[in-house]
Amino acid sequence: MERIIAAQFDTFEQAQQVAGMLRTQGVEERDRQIFYLKPGGQHAQYPIGGDRTLDKAARGGGLGAMVGGVVGAVLGLAVGWWLLGMTGWPQFVLIAFLALGAYVGAMVGGIVKLGGRKPGREPLNRVSGVMLAVRLGQAVEAALVRQMQQGGGYAIEWADGTWSEGQWQDFNPTRTPQLYDLPSAGQNVHETRSG
């Protein structure tokens, strides 16, 4: 595992300019990587696409639909039984009321429970954009971070990872980044939260 420093930039030109300036810090070309980070949800980590097992807005919807379906079926059965006693309708109408109650109850229960219980603090996610990653090697960490910040880098993070063939091999875009605690001047940290 090697120490890797990464920062986000607004443009490829900014990242390339900072990468060029890092040569003066002893960072060789094989120790720098510039790449575009796609927006959350578009990292294709699953066979059908996406990078999350569950949409945070759908949390709780399945349980709500099941409970709503059962409650709706019971209410539909009760209403059907009551109407059956007051009218001369055939008994199969009872099944129709049961099915209608279950259907409406499942829809209402699922919608009411969407969003489920919210976690106390949601993890910090990266914002899409241009990233410059640098393998620390023999360079001085504080000098690299300062150079990235002065060059317009923000959300400057560090990680212990695998660097091979000029690339951060085990970069995981969905992992919560470990940001440096830097003074706010010039550190335009974009914070997005996702569950």
Side-chain angles (χ1 to χ4, degrees), residues 2 13 30 43 58 80 82 85 92 97 100 104 160 163 171 191:
E2 300 180 76
E13 291 77 24
R30 69 173 185 262
H43 300 297
W82 177 71
F92 73 85
F97 275 96
L100 180 63
V104 171
D160 290 322
W163 191 274
F171 174 71
E191 289 192 18

Side-chain angles (χ1 to χ4, degrees), residues 27 48 51 75 102 135 153 174 191:
V27 178
I48 60 170
D51 56 23
L75 288 174
R135 182 177 71 95
T174 62
E191 289 192 18

Side-chain angles (χ1 to χ4, degrees), residues 38-80:
K38 296 182 212 171
Q42 299 182 13
H43 300 297
Q45 293 185 341
Y46 293 101
I48 60 170
D51 56 23
R52 295 185 181 101
T53 56
L54 177 69
D55 184 341
K56 70 178 182 174
R59 197 178 296 141
L63 179 61
M66 286 191 303
V67 171
V70 169
V71 170
V74 169
L75 288 174
L77 188 62
V79 169

Side-chain angles (χ1 to χ4, degrees), residues 138-167:
Q138 300 301 316
V140 178
E141 186 170 356
L144 285 180
V145 171
R146 189 170 34 257
Q147 189 77 46
M148 287 177 153
Q149 187 179 22
Q150 290 172 350
Y154 55 89
I156 302 173
E157 64 179 275
W158 64 272
D160 290 322
T162 305
W163 191 274
S164 173
E165 299 176 18
Q167 294 185 340

Side-chain angles (χ1 to χ4, degrees), residues 2-135:
E2 300 180 76
R3 178 58 60 102
I4 298 169
I5 314 298
Q8 290 190 267
F9 292 87
D10 291 327
T11 65
F12 276 100
E13 291 77 24
Q14 268 187 317
Q16 289 166 343
Q17 184 178 7
V18 170
M21 290 189 291
L22 290 179
R23 270 182 256 156
T24 63
Q25 304 291 335
V27 178
E28 298 182 31
E29 189 166 342
R30 69 173 185 262
D31 295 331
R32 300 185 311 255
Q33 178 188 15
I34 298 174
F35 58 96
Y36 181 77
L37 180 62
K38 296 182 212 171
Q42 299 182 13
H43 300 297
Q45 293 185 341
Y46 293 101
I48 60 170
D51 56 23
R52 295 185 181 101
T53 56
L54 177 69
D55 184 341
K56 70 178 182 174
R59 197 178 296 141
L63 179 61
M66 286 191 303
V67 171
V70 169
V71 170
V74 169
L75 288 174
L77 188 62
V79 169
W81 192 265
W82 177 71
L83 284 174
L84 196 62
M86 295 186 62
T87 65
W89 291 346
Q91 288 188 354
F92 73 85
V93 172
L94 195 59
I95 295 170
F97 275 96
L98 175 93
L100 180 63
Y103 177 73
V104 171
M107 282 194 336
V108 170
I111 290 171
V112 166
K113 288 293 185 180
L114 280 180
R117 106 185 133 72
K118 308 272 191 256
R121 178 152 169 86
E122 295 179 1
L124 178 70
N125 282 344
R126 294 176 177 90
V127 175
S128 64
V130 180
M131 284 195 78
L132 167 62
V134 177
R135 182 177 71 95

